[in-house]
Amino acid sequence: MSTTAANQGTPSDIFSQLTTYDHEQLVFCQDNHTSLKAIIAIHNTVLGPGLGGTRVWNYASDAEAINDVLRLSRGMTYKAAISGLNLGGAKAVIIGDAKTVKTEALMRKFGRFVENLHGKYITAEDVNTTTKDMEYVNMETKHVVGLPESMGGGGDPSPVTAYGTYMGMKASAQFVWGNDSLSGKKIAVQGIGKVGGHLIERLHAEGAQLFISDINEDVLKHYSKELGATVVKGDEIYSLDVDVFAPCALGAVLNTENISKLKCKVIAGAANNQLADENVHGPMLVEKGIAYAPDFLINAGGLINVYQEHIGYNRETAFRNTEHIYNVTLDIYKVAASKNIHTQRAAIELAEKRIADMKSVKATY
């Protein structure tokens, strides 16, 4: 095993990024035999060990991978803090095409790198990783959650993530329309993966009118047939005349170009880092009169689920704690309105306050 610097970007550039996002640690992992090329970012461990999933993605460059893992790990810190969990924020990315790079040996070698951090980082599944991958990681380290139920874990966390997103969407409806019913509401869901699939099933059960978009044609055909959802092609989803837009794919889709097309009144989705630039696009949504449910708040169900696994798994408790997202979302809307700030900023301030308060608590031995 060895560590290596990124191929793109000088050390000073990387430290500048770490300073900008206020990270504690960035770990580069490389192994020739398994072709492992991974980055682990540990953002903040004031509240507890950094927990965050490992995603496998074919990044265009090492610099792009670094930027992604830094943004994602920062989001995990806020997600844990605002959810009242005793966890810090971290994330890992494995660079490469998941269809070709993932092997038992690669995942176990990654597990060795996780083990070398002695519990400061706890990993879990994420985009393009599965509970089976976490089984392989678990062969080399105990610092992993998201394990199958047969191993005492919580299994697939996506139903709980979807439930939290659903709670955030209903709270947003309550804030905007004075009623949290989604029956009859036109809802566009971008990304029908594991979380998006569970989400649209809940929305269909409540009587919502669904519009769906995804790169997987088979998934679209399935849900179009089963739920009567209307299939939308590519970027057309941004300009639909709908009540709610739910980004549930990758991040940074709320940029200047896409926001200008939106006709919805609510944005509430499961994707991470939806705002391309929170300081620009958070206020832009306010100007357009769109209520934005902060992503790291309403997609926290998966983290709540694996945290429950970390302390002793109970499925009912995980869902019950996730339901609290509804009340916190309403609180965020009220705080944002009273302070005249956008909701992402209000949520970040609440998360940072808890971290600062707990840092003060821990300041004495």
Side-chain angles (χ1 to χ4, degrees), residues 60-111:
S61 67
D62 294 348
E64 184 180 76
I66 292 170
N67 185 62
D68 198 32
V69 77
L70 290 177
R71 281 169 54 89
L72 289 167
S73 55
R74 175 175 175 258
M76 293 303 296
T77 293
Y78 294 148
K79 189 179 300 189
I82 204 167
S83 301
L85 306 179
N86 294 318
L87 290 173
K91 204 78 171 184
V93 297
I94 295 174
I95 302 171
D97 185 344
K99 296 178 182 177
T100 58
V101 303
K102 278 203 310 178
T103 63
E104 176 187 350
L106 179 137
M107 295 309 301
R108 291 182 66 169
K109 182 65 76 170
F110 176 72

Side-chain angles (χ1 to χ4, degrees), residues 338-358:
S338 67
K339 290 188 173 183
N340 196 28
I341 57 177
H342 59 90
T343 52
Q344 186 84 346
R345 171 46 50 193
I348 288 172
E349 288 183 1
L350 182 61
E352 289 180 339
K353 183 180 186 304
R354 180 167 182 251
I355 293 169
D357 288 347
M358 292 305 103

Side-chain angles (χ1 to χ4, degrees), residues 81-151:
I82 204 167
S83 301
L85 306 179
N86 294 318
L87 290 173
K91 204 78 171 184
V93 297
I94 295 174
I95 302 171
D97 185 344
K99 296 178 182 177
T100 58
V101 303
K102 278 203 310 178
T103 63
E104 176 187 350
L106 179 137
M107 295 309 301
R108 291 182 66 169
K109 182 65 76 170
F110 176 72
R112 295 301 306 162
F113 280 103
V114 174
E115 177 64 17
N116 288 345
L117 290 170
H118 306 292
K120 189 174 184 180
Y121 171 55
I122 302 169
T123 194
E125 67 179 275
D126 198 82
V127 176
N128 289 328
T129 55
T130 65
T131 52
K132 184 62 179 178
D133 295 323
M134 295 306 107
E135 286 185 60
Y136 290 140
V137 172
N138 186 228
M139 292 177 184
E140 305 301 328
T141 182
K142 65 181 180 180
H143 305 300
V144 54
V145 289
L147 295 169
E149 293 181 61
S150 61
M151 297 176 66

